[in-house]
Amino acid sequence: MDKPTTVIPLIIILNACIWGFVMIMSAKTLSGTGAYQQIQHLLSGGAGFSLLVVGGGLAGLTKKLKQGK
């Protein structure tokens, strides 16, 4: 798990799973309605969590690579 070739794909896959969940929940919430207010929190939460996972994962990877040099 310390190798970049292992961590980077995991970060990408986890990010894709987060967005997949957000899309499914948005579709479920919007079925038959036109209300954006109901999904606004889902979309902004997904974007924030995605930013934390990808940004934090890549920052942690950069830190590990710098320590290894």
Side-chain angles (χ1 to χ4, degrees), residues 2-3 7 18 24-25 34-36 38-39 44 47 49 57 64 66 68:
D2 292 337
K3 296 180 182 180
V7 175
I18 291 167
I24 290 170
M25 292 307 295
Y36 176 73
Q38 292 180 349
I39 66 158
S44 61
F49 195 59
K64 278 191 175 190
K66 285 183 181 179

Side-chain angles (χ1 to χ4, degrees), residues 9 16-17 24-25 29 35 37-39 42-43 55-56 58 61-63 65 68:
C17 289
I24 290 170
M25 292 307 295
T29 304
Q37 289 81 13
Q38 292 180 349
I39 66 158
L42 285 172
L43 294 175
L58 294 178
L61 181 62
T62 303
K63 186 176 179 181
L65 289 174

